[in-house]
């Protein structure tokens, strides 16, 4: 449905340099991530897995930021709700399922870490941990390495608004600011850190903190993926041009409980949650595509069928796959080859 | 006496002490409306208000540091670390500050602070929701460290910790929270910090440990008594800093065969110090080398169930080690 | 030479609510602190003491901030260059000398800690340590205690601009911002953190960081003690009124080497140092007093003679005083009375 | 072979490795123009430029964390902590991150990082410029920890540490910097991580330790040999994690009388693990209880000279303890 000339210039995505194929692909990944997440919740409720931590409602922004990045050159340090981000970066649903079932073939950690703890060198996704915000200085280290080696590489690091109150946020941002490093700091402000509302986490805007580090900070509506894309694209360009870091605060809302272990009704109301659920950006994105002749009911049906099949197969595969053998459970504390050989 | 759960004993201690002493308050992540991720502070905000059951920003160094300031100002803060795995950002405040305030000021200032943190695995928490951080803080003079195994000790030691004039790390075992329940007096009592407790008398082998693995030892001991006629003497250290030297030596001398157990990994753990104390004082009374059965020297346990099980201590592993020692 | 009515209203100090006596006292303490510092440097050079860390050039601002505080009710968490501050808070030169000589009678630590590591409960000065910035959350804890007990007490905490890049700065400020606590954060920006110039410490203004925590931040000229006083007085009033914290960045310059162990000519020029030494606010303050008939050559002479005597006596006392007996060197690791008794 | 100072050996190792491998760089507070507060990085910025001898903001968690990121990205960072007392803000990055990166990613990622930090007292540094932080990091699987006592080992171990594929804490003793000088080969050589070294052969008593106190032991041993005919066998652990079990057991078996020495305080120190290893494996070969001579269990040494002297180990304290053990 790509058109030429004047018409193309009128679409929001074309104005942003996004091809029709890309914008369609963005939509497909948003839906894929949503469906994966819903399945994971079901699997947990059915007792098939112990734990899931959900990214529902944050997917459109995650996909938009990922699409602004360079998958071949950049480095990614996502956080535990970034399913849509890592799917955009190339992780497969099967791999996510292997992680959810904590199976040996899981590329993230061979089933050692919790689901949502991403890491995959092949996809330039840097291994992450549970203690929040430690990844922020790591991202700065990747950016420093890029600068030292003269590589055109940007690092992107995600974290929640609660996590932005850790010392490592401050130390990492300041370091990057001083050295004008190519890094994008992404605060996904979803209103809660477990039970603690944003009003008890900080009395300022997270984006305003950038000023004190000498680089730009933006607050952007997470329900507007095009705007998210625009801001990240710009940040990416600034980074590549040697103009230094950018802090982006993506405003969103966590519609799921914190994790499957959490009962969110102890600290917020169903009305509040439903209000935000109603703002879901996925249907709006679909509508946009349809309005521009890029999507249809049939394509939707086909997509859902494909996704269902993919997730079914991945679930089955994940469920059946073996755990890491216990004789390997204690491996890789240190390199197995001697220092001599690795040199 | 009512039988209550370990976590309930902790909650009750805080509640009763907050009723008794208005300087006492709790602070930490999600300790307010949610009542903590494990429920240890449930109801406290309703009873004592937002300030005395204070939801803090997600920042452990500030939780410790602000609590230290409040303690120096005369309050009696109880700072909750959501998981002990997440207290490492607060290390500098704990080791450089809390532990040294009295000493560095030549007794002009003090720091009566309790830091509560859940330790231990077996809850499918994976690497970072299962760790035992004792060895990091153990050996820092100025700190006291307790790690109760029973509900009775949990309440009594927590009350003692809150009233202690010095900083106390209170390591509660998350696997014990709902699994362990025992008789706990209503109302006020304390368990003295620095005193170990004989959990079981026996004459064949001595098991020395703290926290959850002692329950495995108790189960194993019952079976060994029944099946093999082996009687284990079991010592609960309860306080891991300062260690109860006398209690340790007495228990070791009792049988001459010592097995030390803890879930924290073996190398550099509390058990090394216990072994060192015994080998320093009791060498000639020993009938067997001092053994340790501990977590493996691996960063932390995996989340996948077979891996977790492989990592964790359990009754069978204890029993095998105890039997082997008895037969030595 | 206090005058009445209209004349008083015209003076800068009266407009700020400072009496003539107070403003004269401010000057006296500035000079006292300077002379103490110079003596300490001499003593170190003469090999009488091992170490001194100097606050020269920062005294006028330190005195001004101290005078804006309430000595009976507030809590003070100074840093190692705050000699003029602690002298204003009531510490004596003799006490500072006891600390410099590391003697047993030193109220700060009985000669356990380095000089400049202040602490004295009697003067509401909270014990400090060497690891920088740890005192920031402590100050927030004092403010929290004041809020909980409903006490009209403000805590003031000082640190350098290098130190403001520690995580504890961020975590402490953010905590205080959320709870609107009565605390004043003071960054004494003297241009260097040992050898590292401010340009390599941060790419932003320290004062701008306040925005991200939701409270006001001011940058103030440290060479203008009246302006410093004004800003702190206002911050103090805001704190007492329940309006929360203030961050103040005092712009100054470290004219001495970092400490007596440092050779600053390895990383900066004599010209740069001399330029700043020429901006010393003490002569200007004296001139102000003289212009307002509050000071004279004779008073200056008398003051210098008094100070000299005081410092001579303190030096002699400090030098002769005994060290803490070694049998006490290991005391106070824990409370000596049992928990039972202390209860 | 030229005799060079311990600090010069460290500087030379960095310089030569930076010449050899362009992935290697140093970062830390004041490491640039000033060349470090002790001078360990002097000249590196002049030779290698601002990026490879990088002055960082005053923020240790970032120094560690950024170095970890750079290491994962394929660089070989050497992060300098100005004093080991100031590395505690970086504890979380070191223990939760560096130590666990390989394990948690099942070998997909690694973290070839060196963190250098000066330990030890005796320089009138007071509480916070004198500490030995070994016990905090010791017992964290995934970390390697070395602590050389000689210039030869300092250079060889630092080269080995930089080339090691895993994170290594390199604890250099600030009292050794200019006091210790010995023969150091020019050019490339490594001292293997994990191997102890017999500093002196003897048949009466065994002294096991690391870092500065070994020099006191060596001096005491010479005097004891001359004056009493007592011959001490002295083992330098050199690497404190992983400990050289075989080396320890061999040295202990050699005399059957063991004295363990370190400046870090006694309780919970590396010496406890050494004692535990011996008492676990060699109990029947011992002719005396295992003794430890260590720093006192006090937060840190005071700055006043008599207090500092009272706190520190020295030749006389070593000699007395060694004599006493020999006479046992
Ligand atoms: C250092 C640390 N402290 C506490 C926790 C426990 N914890 C896990 S997620 C979380 C809340 C995070 O909130 P936020 O940063 O807003 O991210 P969100 O989950 O809302 O996406 C907490 C407290 C942790 N993982 N790490
Ligand atoms: C956590 C920590 N890291 C390093 C040091 C060593 N150190 C002492 S003072 C100092 C520089 C402080 O600079 P700044 O904060 O600007 O204060 P200034 O000395 O300039 O007044 C450093 C690096 C320390 N004391 N604490
Ligand atoms: Mg959130
Ligand atoms: Mg400065």
């Amino acid at each position: 449905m790509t058109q030429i000339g004047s018409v193309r210039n009128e679409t929001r995505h074309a104005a942003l340099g996004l091809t029709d194929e890309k914008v369609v692909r963005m939509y497909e990944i948003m839906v894929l991530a949503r469906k994966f997440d819903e399945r994971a919740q079901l699997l947990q409720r059915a007792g098939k897995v112990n734990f899931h931590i959900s990214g529902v409602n944050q997917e459109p922004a995650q996909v938009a930021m990922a699409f602004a990045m360079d998958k071949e050159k950049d480095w990614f340090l996502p956080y535990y709700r970034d399913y849509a981000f890592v799917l955009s970066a190339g992780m497969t649903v099967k791999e996510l399922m292997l992680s959810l079932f904590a199976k040996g073939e899981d590329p993230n950690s061979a089933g050692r870490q919790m689901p949502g703890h991403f890491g995959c060198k092949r996809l330039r996704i840097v291994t992450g941990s549970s203690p929040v915000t430690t990844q922020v200085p790591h991202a700065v280290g990747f950016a420093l390495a890029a600068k030292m080696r003269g590589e055109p590489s940007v690092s992107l690091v995600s974290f929640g608004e609660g996590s932005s109150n850790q010392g490592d946020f401050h130390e990492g941002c300041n370091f990057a600011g001083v050295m004008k490093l190519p890094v994008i700091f992404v605060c996904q402000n979803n209103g809660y850190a477990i039970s603690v509302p944003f009003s008890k986490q900080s009395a300022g805007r997270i984006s305003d903190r950038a000023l004190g580090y000498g680089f730009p900070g933006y607050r952007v509506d997470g329900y507007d993926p095009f705007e998210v894309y625009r801001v990240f694209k710009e940040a990416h360009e600034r980074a590549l041009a040697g103009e230094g870091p950018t802090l982006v605060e993506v405003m969103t809302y966590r519609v799921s409980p914190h994790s499957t272990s959490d009962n969110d009704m102890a600290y917020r109301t169903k009305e509040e949650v439903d209000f935000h659920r109603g703002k879901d950006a996925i249907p709006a994105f679909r509508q946009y595509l349809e309005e521009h002749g890029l999507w249809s009911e049939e394509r939707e049906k086909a997509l859902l069928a494909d996704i269902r099949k993919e997730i079914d197969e991945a679930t089955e595969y994940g469920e059946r796959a073996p755990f890491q053998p216990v004789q390997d459970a204690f491996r890789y504390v240190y390199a197995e080859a001697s220092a001599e050989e690795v040199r | 006496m009512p039988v209550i759960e370990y976590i309930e004993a902790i909650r009750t201690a805080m509640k009763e002490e907050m009723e008794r002493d208005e300087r006492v308050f709790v602070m930490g992540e999600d300790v307010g409306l949610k009542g903590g991720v494990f429920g240890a502070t449930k109801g406290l905000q309703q009873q004592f208000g937002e300030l005395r059951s204070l939801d803090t920003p997600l920042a452990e160094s500030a939780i410790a540091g602000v609590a230290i300031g409040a303690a120096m100002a005369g309050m009696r803060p109880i700072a909750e670390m959501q998981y002990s795995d997440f207290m490492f950002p607060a290390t500098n405040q704990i080791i450089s500050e809390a532990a040294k305030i009295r000493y560095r000021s030549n007794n002009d200032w003090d720091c009566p602070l309790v830091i509560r943190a859940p330790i231990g695995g077996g809850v499918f928490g994976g690497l970072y929701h299962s760790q035992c951080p004792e060895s990091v803080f153990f050996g820092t003079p100025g700190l006291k460290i307790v790690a109760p195994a029973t509900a009775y000790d949990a309440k009594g030691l927590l009350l003692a910790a809150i009233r202690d004039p010095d900083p106390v790390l209170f390591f509660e075992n998350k696997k014990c929270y709902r699994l362990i329940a025992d008789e706990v007096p209503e109302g006020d009592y304390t368990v003295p910090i620095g005193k170990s407790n004989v959990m079981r008398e026996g004459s064949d082998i001595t098991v020395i440990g703290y926290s959850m693995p002692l329950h495995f030892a108790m189960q194993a001991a019952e079976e060994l008594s029944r099946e093999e006629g082996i009687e284990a003497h079991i010592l609960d250290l309860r306080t891991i800093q300062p260690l109860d030297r006398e209690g340790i030596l007495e228990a070791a001398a009792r049988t001459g065969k010592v097995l030390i157990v803890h879930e924290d990994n073996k190398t550099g753990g509390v058990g090394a110090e216990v072994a060192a104390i015994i080998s320093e004082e009791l060498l000639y009374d020993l009938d067997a080398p001092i053994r340790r059965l501990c977590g493996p020297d691996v960063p932390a346990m995996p989340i996948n169930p077979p891996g977790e099980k492989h990592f964790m201590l359990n009754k069978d592993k204890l029993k095998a080690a105890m039997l082997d020692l008895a037969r030595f």
Side-chain angles (χ1 to χ4, degrees), chain A, chain B:
Chain A
M1 322 273 76
T2 311
Q3 318 238 328
I4 38 156
S6 58
V7 177
R8 167 173 272 171
N9 287 335
E10 276 163 350
T11 70
R12 251 189 115 182
H13 65 281
L16 291 168
L18 280 167
T19 62
D20 292 349
E21 290 68 33
K22 276 213 169 154
V23 80
V24 165
R25 188 74 199 118
M26 285 171 72
Y27 177 68
E28 291 170 348
I29 297 178
M30 291 176 199
V31 178
L32 178 64
R34 174 69 51 89
K35 296 296 171 191
F36 165 76
D37 210 312
E38 289 170 358
R39 177 67 60 90
Q41 291 177 43
L42 282 179
L43 289 168
Q44 194 277 336
R45 257 178 252 142
K48 300 246 180 193
V49 300
N50 282 309
F51 180 83
H52 172 62
I53 186 153
S54 161
V56 164
N57 210 35
Q58 303 180 209
E59 312 95 330
Q62 290 167 357
V63 170
M65 60 199 227
F67 270 73
M69 305 296 289
D70 181 338
K71 287 205 280 180
E72 311 299 321
K73 300 210 180 70
D74 295 338
W75 291 107
F76 307 123
L77 296 93
Y79 91 127
Y80 46 84
R81 299 197 196 280
D82 269 326
Y83 298 101
F85 186 94
V86 298
L87 285 168
S88 307
M91 196 166 286
T92 65
V93 168
K94 184 170 131 186
E95 290 171 329
L96 290 180
M97 279 296 175
L98 285 161
S99 166
L100 186 66
F101 283 100
K103 295 304 176 70
E105 216 187 311
D106 157 34
N108 297 283
S109 75
R112 292 175 169 194
Q113 291 220 75
M114 290 184 143
H117 288 51
F118 306 112
C120 183
K121 206 176 229 173
R122 166 178 59 92
L123 300 173
R124 308 179 70 84
I125 298 172
V126 181
T127 176
S129 63
S130 308
V132 298
T133 329
T134 49
Q135 71 274 26
V136 171
H138 300 175
V140 179
F142 274 86
L144 176 64
K147 178 172 178 150
M148 285 176 159
R149 295 190 291 228
E151 290 168 359
S153 173
V154 178
S155 60
L156 176 148
V157 57
S158 269
F159 45 87
E161 82 292 347
S163 304
S164 76
N165 301 314
Q166 290 278 339
D168 272 358
F169 166 84
H170 176 65
E171 297 194 9
C173 287
N174 186 62
F175 195 113
V178 169
M179 297 202 62
K180 279 190 170 293
L181 296 177
V183 50
I184 306 176
F185 301 103
V186 189
C187 176
Q188 300 192 31
N189 187 340
N190 61 9
Y192 283 88
I194 308 188
S195 71
V196 181
F198 183 52
S199 61
K200 290 190 174 176
Q201 284 290 346
S202 187
R205 291 171 167 234
I206 306 304
S207 54
D208 282 345
R209 293 180 182 169
L211 183 65
Y213 307 124
F215 54 77
Y218 304 103
R219 192 175 245 198
V220 51
D221 178 3
Y223 293 117
D224 184 349
F226 289 123
E227 180 62 4
V228 172
Y229 178 85
R230 189 188 65 73
V231 168
F232 278 83
K233 196 78 196 165
E234 207 178 287
H236 195 264
E237 279 158 16
R238 291 189 62 253
L240 284 184
E243 291 165 28
T246 306
L247 171 63
V248 186
E249 182 183 12
V250 177
M251 300 306 289
T252 174
Y253 184 86
R254 193 197 79 208
V255 295
S256 313
H258 171 72
S259 73
T260 50
S261 313
D262 181 38
N263 167 24
D264 59 330
M265 290 300 109
Y267 53 82
R268 63 178 181 180
T269 64
K270 196 170 169 308
E271 290 68 47
E272 180 184 314
V273 176
D274 285 344
F275 171 76
H276 287 279
R277 209 188 292 276
K279 301 213 262 172
D280 186 6
I282 294 185
F285 207 87
R286 173 180 172 184
Q287 197 184 330
Y288 173 91
L289 294 183
E290 288 186 356
E291 280 168 13
H292 292 81
L294 298 170
W295 202 249
S296 63
E297 186 58 32
E298 301 86 75
R299 286 196 70 170
E300 180 77 12
K301 272 200 191 130
L303 175 70
L304 292 179
D306 285 353
I307 286 178
R308 186 177 185 113
K309 181 153 175 285
E310 186 179 355
I311 292 180
D312 282 348
E313 284 171 8
T315 305
E316 197 172 337
Y317 189 93
E319 198 169 358
R320 289 201 184 166
F323 290 112
Q324 181 167 54
V326 291
Q327 61 270 28
D328 291 343
F330 300 162
R331 287 180 71 182
Y332 310 127
V333 178
Y334 299 101
E336 298 200 345
S338 79
E340 226 65 28
E341 291 163 294
V342 169
R343 230 176 274 172
Chain B
M1 263 191 289
V3 168
I4 64 172
E5 284 178 351
Y6 182 98
I7 192 169
E8 182 64 15
I10 290 167
R11 204 190 62 80
T12 308
M14 289 191 280
K15 175 183 141 73
E16 291 178 7
E17 198 63 1
M18 286 170 77
E19 285 167 350
R20 202 185 72 87
D21 183 346
E22 61 175 20
R23 297 170 306 171
V24 179
F25 69 100
V26 293
M27 60 188 286
E29 294 153 12
D30 305 290
V31 301
L33 267 188
K34 185 172 168 74
V37 291
F38 294 100
T41 57
K42 209 155 238 163
L44 298 182
Q45 185 166 90
Q46 287 75 356
Q47 184 176 354
F48 300 102
E50 283 201 21
L51 272 180
R52 289 185 72 198
S53 184
L54 184 64
D55 275 327
T56 65
L58 174 38
E60 286 78 6
S61 187
I63 294 173
V66 172
I68 288 168
M72 287 198 280
M75 303 296 287
R76 296 281 172 147
I78 304 171
E80 178 175 304
M81 299 283 153
Q82 200 155 76
Y83 285 81
S84 65
D85 314 65
F86 304 142
M87 72 191 289
F88 295 129
T91 308
N92 191 41
Q93 283 290 346
I94 295 170
I95 292 184
S96 301
E97 300 298 320
K100 295 181 174 63
I101 280 168
R102 185 186 297 280
Y103 179 79
R104 78 179 182 219
S105 68
N106 199 48
N107 214 29
D108 190 29
W109 287 93
D110 56 11
C111 186
L113 161 71
V114 178
I115 297 182
R116 291 178 38 243
I119 65 171
V123 298
F124 303 124
L127 268 74
Y128 295 99
H129 296 77
S130 308
Q131 289 174 83
C132 289
E134 297 94 270
S135 78
V136 175
F137 299 98
F138 179 66
T140 295
L143 295 179
K144 297 182 181 178
I145 312 178
V146 300
T150 65
Y152 177 88
D153 286 344
K155 179 172 174 188
L157 278 172
L158 185 48
L159 287 171
I162 301 170
R163 296 172 193 178
D164 196 276
D166 288 302
V168 181
L169 305 186
F170 188 91
F171 287 134
E172 45 204 56
N173 191 298
K174 67 178 83 74
K175 189 80 188 166
C176 291
Y177 275 154
R178 311 213 175 263
L179 201 65
I180 302 303
D182 47 83
E183 291 194 344
V184 174
E186 292 182 49
D188 200 5
Y189 71 97
T190 56
V191 168
I193 293 177
K195 287 297 288 175
S196 61
N197 178 46
V198 177
M199 284 184 107
R200 185 180 197 283
E201 306 254 354
S203 49
D204 296 317
I205 57 166
T206 298
V207 179
I208 302 178
Y210 60 91
S211 200
M212 184 65 202
L214 290 170
H215 297 289
F216 302 135
M218 290 292 282
Q219 294 158 13
E222 291 315 313
E223 293 188 12
L224 287 172
S225 168
R226 247 188 354 254
E227 297 164 10
E228 314 274 346
I230 293 168
E231 296 303 334
H233 189 77
I234 299 183
L235 186 76
D236 181 356
L237 293 167
R238 299 199 292 197
T239 295
I240 57 181
Q241 182 163 312
L243 282 169
D244 181 1
R245 275 183 97 82
E246 275 168 43
I248 291 168
L249 295 174
E250 209 176 287
R254 187 71 166 262
T255 70
K257 290 180 170 183
V258 179
L259 176 70
I260 301 164
V261 293
H262 53 63
E263 189 178 323
D264 194 1
N265 59 288
K266 180 175 172 183
T267 298
V270 174
E273 183 64 36
V274 174
I277 288 172
I278 296 170
S279 67
E280 184 166 75
E281 309 245 0
L282 263 192
L283 194 77
Y284 298 111
D285 298 309
L286 293 181
D287 300 318
I290 303 169
R291 296 195 180 166
R292 288 177 285 166
L293 183 67
C294 305
D297 285 328
V298 164
M301 69 189 70
I303 196 171
N304 69 79
E308 184 183 276
K309 183 160 175 233
H310 187 60
F311 188 105
M312 290 282 293
L313 296 180
N314 57 34
K315 185 206 62 186
D316 293 336
K317 292 184 190 178
L318 267 283
K319 190 173 167 188
M322 288 161 72
L323 184 60
D324 198 57
L325 180 61
R327 292 200 173 141
F328 183 87

